[in-house]
Amino acid sequence: MITGSPQMTWCPPFWTLPISTASRYGSHGAFYRYKNSMGKSLPLFYIYDSYLTSPEAWAHLLTPNGPHSIRNTPYDGVFIALLVEEGHTHDILAAGFDGMYTYFASNGFSFGSSHQNWKAVKNFCDANNLMFIPSVGPGYIDTSIRPWNNHNTRNRVNGKYYETALQAALTVRPEIVSITSFNEWHEGTQIEKAIPKKTPTRLYLDYLPHQPSLYLELTRRWAEHFIKEKEQWLM
């Protein structure tokens, strides 16, 4: 994660159990907290595949008057749901989430991951006091594990795909941009250093003719640009 305000984060591709996580690690200095609209500094959780649980069930936990509400308890947090389909925007609102993120790195794969929809989603979130966290990626190729999914492959174009996604994200003026991903090599979305490597079963894609740190350098550059842009938005 790149600290400062605004933030860029890498979102984990799994559901983190908030109660046990907060209980075990909540007092640690490295445990990430986000200051919400009420000025409270709370743990931030990305909840992958949140739509598999009904809005009614989530509302029991995430709305202030829910029968098992964790709001204003030691287990409160900033809970960010996964936006896949357009209709999920209203489900996320009804469920009591604090915002939504798009996760997928393949532009056009889903409603949420399509850059052209981000302005409308941001407008919905602004109107309903929700955070919108667009997710950007450097490219996408998962045919080594999903041979049938070639139509969702997105070429990196030597960093241009990543920069196009970052520009689309900043255009809607979000508080946070998440990055998919740091090291998910099996889906071709990694931004960590890469050198040419081949095993008997897999060819790992590298960044040649660029340096192994190309995407880390791009991330740093855009994070700095993001901070400067945010300063202008607040003027």
Side-chain angles (χ1 to χ4, degrees):
M1 181 179 64
I2 298 168
T3 58
S5 181
Q7 296 85 16
M8 286 176 139
T9 62
W10 291 290
C11 45
F14 49 81
W15 150 243
T16 305
L17 188 61
I19 290 178
S20 61
T21 302
S23 296
R24 186 170 183 177
Y25 303 110
S27 61
H28 196 283
F31 193 79
Y32 182 68
R33 293 175 177 272
Y34 180 82
K35 186 174 289 187
N36 68 6
S37 58
M38 303 298 291
K40 299 175 78 173
S41 184
L42 298 171
L44 188 148
F45 298 96
Y46 293 98
I47 303 180
Y48 186 73
D49 277 358
S50 51
Y51 59 87
L52 296 179
T53 300
S54 71
E56 293 77 17
W58 282 120
H60 287 183
L61 294 172
L62 300 180
T63 57
N65 297 319
H68 305 293
S69 179
I70 60 175
R71 296 304 190 185
N72 299 310
T73 75
Y75 304 112
D76 201 356
V78 178
F79 298 95
I80 308 299
L82 175 60
L83 172 67
V84 180
E85 300 174 2
E86 184 174 7
H88 291 163
T89 55
H90 295 279
D91 292 341
I92 289 168
L93 177 63
F97 283 101
D98 300 289
M100 57 191 77
Y101 77 116
T102 62
Y103 182 69
F104 299 107
S106 183
N107 181 25
F109 168 70
S110 69
F111 173 84
S113 71
S114 298
H115 303 167
Q116 65 181 10
N117 297 326
W118 287 355
K119 181 173 178 57
V121 176
K122 179 62 159 56
N123 289 341
F124 176 87
C125 289
D126 287 348
N128 291 283
N129 196 31
L130 296 172
M131 292 177 63
F132 174 53
I133 302 178
S135 302
V136 302
Y140 190 87
I141 180 168
D142 66 353
T143 49
S144 65
I145 58 172
R146 303 182 186 99
W148 63 87
N149 200 35
N150 186 61
H151 61 285
N152 281 314
T153 294
R154 301 293 182 267
N155 194 295
R156 291 178 177 242
V157 202
N158 293 316
K160 290 184 175 62
Y161 181 88
Y162 191 38
E163 295 196 89
T164 297
L166 285 160
Q167 183 60 65
L170 267 61
T171 297
V172 301
R173 300 187 173 187
E175 286 293 318
I176 296 175
V177 175
S178 69
I179 299 171
T180 308
S181 66
F182 181 68
N183 59 358
E184 288 195 293
W185 288 82
H186 61 290
E187 292 184 341
T189 61
Q190 81 286 343
I191 64 170
E192 68 174 335
K193 288 184 177 181
I195 58 174
K197 181 178 177 64
K198 185 178 182 180
T199 71
T201 58
R202 176 167 298 184
L203 173 65
Y204 289 88
L205 300 180
D206 56 67
Y207 311 145
L208 294 176
H210 301 282
Q211 295 296 313
S213 60
L214 169 65
Y215 289 93
L216 296 180
E217 293 168 3
L218 288 174
T219 301
R220 179 188 295 276
R221 185 190 310 162
W222 277 89
E224 293 171 350
H225 179 55
F226 191 10
I227 292 170
K228 291 178 181 178
E229 285 284 299
K230 184 62 181 295
E231 291 172 352
Q232 294 297 316
W233 301 342
L234 296 177
M235 289 179 64

